[in-house]
Amino acid sequence: MAETKGSTPISTRLEQIANLAEKFADSPLTTLAHHIDIEWLREAHRRTRKDGARGIDGQSADEYAADLEGNLGRLLERAKSGSYRAPPVRRTYIPKGNGERRPLGIPTFEDKVLQRAVAMVLEPIYEREFLDGSYGFRPGRSAHQALDALHQQSTVMAGGWVIEVDIRKYFDTIDHRQLQEVLRQRIRDGVITRLVGKWLNAGVMEDGALHHSDAGTPQGGVISPLLANIYLHTVLDVWFVREVLPRLRGRAFLTRYADDAVMLFEYEEDARRVMDVLPKRFERYGLALHPDKTRLVPFKRPDRSGRSDGPGGGSAVGSFDFLGFTVHWSKSLQGKWVVKTRTAKDRFRRALVNIERWCKLQRHAPLLEQQQKLNAKLRGHYGYYRRRGNADRLWQLLRVVTCAWRKWLNRRSQRNRITWPTMTRLLQRYPLATPALGRHRVANP
């Protein structure tokens, strides 16, 4: 299967890998590492973020690029010979909305480049394997597409019964041995599997101490999202399609974005049967479902909710959260029941807390600088949460942010108090971005 690439474009070589995966769909692929040459590493370097945090060696992207050809050449030789040693990731934390902290692992820049190179090999193979219900960390797919698919499925079925799947600390608990076994079902190239094993066993550096574990793929690693997707593809997606669907009485759909997943069932009895076996399925692969957050939710369209659909049938109207939104039934302007999404309460509260904290810390900065950075935060929030039916939540956010900005501007001085008429004039000079595209408007307090 090996061949000399020469100056073959990377896009063509990616297509060749995809064709190879299709040709040998039922067999493990054994010769893949030959695709990783100096041109491949150059492209991997080009695709690697240059502004990310530094790893344990402290080297920046600019410093690495100062001798790029030499560094890539030496990296290639070590990767192919087996002498490459994956450095530990640097542990850092980011706050979560519930007061907890999410751990992140920051690889060195060179490690990011090599991880990107291997991910480029694996991606076209698994893209033909992944199922339609999987949307996370995949080229050309997004969280909004997952929400759109769920909206369409719920509308066609007039709702049903939903299982919210919440995996407890998924990225921290992926079993290394079982992940490698899943990978070997498709990939038997020694260079590739050896590198993946080194990354899984590289360890975490925190407060000067090196920690190793038999589980987990550090969030922050370039290849971690793909490996996590491969694992859940086997654990959940394939099992649902091949084992669950044929045994159900009615229709059902699985929509997954990374480790966030929901299952929609036409009948309650089907949903309850799956709910009973779901923990055992995850336990088999070393994973655990959160006992409180994994739940069965009635989600019948309200005008259908009184209809009995089998044992336990009856009233079935509710809502559930998915990807930062609360999915619920609501009346349209035409008086029809439709599925809508609004910003989930915890995400809304998190956004307010973060922005208010920022206003407090930056209250003495120049007004123009504050306005520009606040607008960047607001536009980022609008960009994700601007969906049909969610306008009220976005305008509410703007109103509360306006109040928070005034509150902390008032703390700048005991003499010059900012009344609401004063704030209105200030907003005319330094307007805040609104949810309406291309428009500025002073928010009413």
Side-chain angles (χ1 to χ4, degrees):
M1 285 183 244
E3 62 180 352
T4 303
K5 279 80 60 186
S7 58
T8 304
I10 297 296
S11 59
T12 300
R13 292 158 62 182
L14 290 170
E15 186 176 350
Q16 290 172 352
I17 295 175
N19 292 336
L20 185 72
E22 184 171 1
K23 181 179 180 181
F24 296 94
D26 300 321
S27 305
L29 303 177
T30 58
T31 56
L32 293 168
H34 65 279
H35 289 283
I36 301 178
D37 57 12
I38 196 68
E39 293 181 15
W40 193 272
L41 286 181
R42 287 194 198 104
E43 178 62 16
H45 174 267
R46 188 188 69 81
R47 296 187 185 190
T48 302
R49 280 187 56 186
K50 309 301 190 295
D51 58 349
R54 303 185 186 193
I56 61 169
D57 62 354
Q59 187 177 46
S60 69
D62 289 340
E63 291 168 347
Y64 192 80
D67 183 22
L68 182 60
E69 291 301 306
N71 284 328
L72 293 182
R74 289 185 288 272
L75 176 61
L76 179 63
E77 193 280 328
R78 285 180 286 140
K80 291 295 184 72
S81 67
S83 63
Y84 182 78
R85 297 185 64 184
V89 297
R90 180 174 65 83
R91 174 72 83 206
T92 187
Y93 294 89
I94 59 174
K96 297 174 64 175
N98 57 6
E100 297 179 358
R101 296 188 304 167
R102 174 181 287 113
L104 290 180
I106 310 299
T108 64
F109 182 77
E110 181 173 71
D111 206 40
K112 292 178 184 178
V113 173
L114 187 55
Q115 287 190 32
R116 177 65 64 194
V118 172
M120 286 166 56
V121 173
L122 297 179
E123 197 170 75
I125 298 170
Y126 282 98
E127 270 304 301
R128 70 168 305 280
E129 305 278 332
F130 291 151
L131 303 180
D132 288 341
S134 170
Y135 291 87
F137 306 120
R138 294 183 60 187
R141 292 194 160 215
S142 68
H144 280 210
Q145 288 177 332
L147 289 162
D148 291 340
L150 185 58
H151 178 281
Q152 182 180 10
Q153 293 158 2
S154 301
T155 301
V156 169
M157 287 174 52
W161 296 81
V162 167
I163 295 179
E164 288 186 75
V165 180
D166 189 287
I167 308 171
R168 176 180 280 171
K169 297 183 177 180
Y170 174 60
F171 284 88
D172 297 331
T173 56
I174 297 176
D175 184 271
H176 291 173
R177 180 184 60 80
Q178 295 207 65
L179 171 58
Q180 288 175 293
E181 287 180 2
V182 167
L183 191 66
R184 279 194 293 269
Q185 293 173 9
R186 201 69 182 98
I187 309 297
R188 294 282 178 85
D189 182 288
V191 173
I192 300 295
T193 56
R194 185 167 57 243
L195 284 172
V196 170
K198 289 182 177 183
W199 286 319
L200 292 176
N201 296 307
V204 173
M205 185 71 72
E206 184 173 8
D207 297 329
L210 179 61
H211 305 277
H212 289 277
S213 173
D214 294 330
T217 60
Q219 296 185 67
V222 173
I223 202 169
S224 292
L226 177 57
L227 295 178
N229 238 3
I230 291 170
Y231 200 50
L232 270 187
H233 168 71
T234 295
V235 175
L236 183 60
D237 302 358
V238 174
W239 171 74
F240 183 82
V241 170
R242 295 181 183 175
E243 303 293 332
V244 174
L245 287 181
R247 292 174 169 81
L248 299 182
R249 175 186 164 208
R251 293 171 292 177
F253 297 93
L254 167 66
T255 306
R256 181 175 67 82
Y257 188 94
D259 60 330
D260 290 326
V262 293
M263 299 175 178
L264 174 64
F265 299 87
E266 185 175 7
Y267 297 124
E268 180 184 5
E269 60 184 278
D270 287 339
R272 292 196 180 278
R273 287 171 57 202
V274 175
M275 187 72 171
D276 288 340
V277 301
L278 203 56
K280 299 175 184 177
R281 175 65 183 181
F282 279 86
E283 184 180 351
R284 176 181 171 185
Y285 286 87
L287 302 172
L289 296 178
H290 197 292
D292 300 322
K293 297 180 181 178
T294 299
R295 61 194 188 109
L296 179 61
V297 181
F299 194 64
K300 279 289 186 184
R301 200 172 71 192
D303 60 345
R304 302 278 187 91
S305 62
R307 184 186 69 187
S308 176
D309 61 13
S315 180
V317 181
S319 63
F320 59 94
D321 289 351
F322 185 51
L323 299 178
F325 290 88
T326 296
V327 184
H328 64 105
W329 288 100
S330 181
K331 284 277 186 83
S332 69
L333 295 177
Q334 293 75 32
K336 298 180 180 180
W337 286 108
V338 295
V339 177
K340 290 187 178 181
T341 51
R342 63 173 179 264
T343 310
K345 289 182 180 179
D346 62 333
R347 298 298 182 90
F348 188 81
R349 184 166 52 250
R350 184 191 310 176
L352 293 181
V353 168
N354 289 340
I355 291 180
E356 173 140 3
R357 184 186 298 119
W358 183 91
C359 288
K360 176 182 178 180
L361 295 174
Q362 300 297 321
R363 63 187 183 275
H364 295 296
L367 285 176
L368 179 60
E369 179 181 326
Q370 290 191 51
Q371 179 225 19
Q372 291 173 340
K373 292 183 177 179
L374 269 177
N375 279 342
K377 293 178 181 295
L378 287 169
R379 291 192 184 103
H381 186 91
Y382 300 154
Y384 183 74
Y385 288 101
R386 186 188 285 115
R387 287 183 64 84
R388 182 177 298 176
N390 199 35
D392 287 348
R393 277 292 174 96
L394 299 185
W395 284 103
Q396 181 184 359
L397 177 76
L398 177 59
R399 288 192 295 271
V400 178
V401 167
T402 302
C403 292
W405 197 22
R406 172 180 174 268
K407 169 186 172 181
W408 289 108
L409 288 179
N410 253 327
R411 305 288 177 91
R412 286 166 36 128
S413 170
Q414 295 293 330
R415 296 181 180 179
N416 300 321
R417 308 303 293 176
I418 298 180
T419 63
W420 274 113
T422 303
M423 188 66 183
T424 300
R425 291 192 295 271
L426 184 147
L427 288 169
Q428 290 171 346
R429 184 173 181 182
Y430 302 102
L432 293 180
T434 74
L437 286 171
R439 294 169 50 202
H440 285 290
R441 194 172 87 186
V442 176
N444 295 320

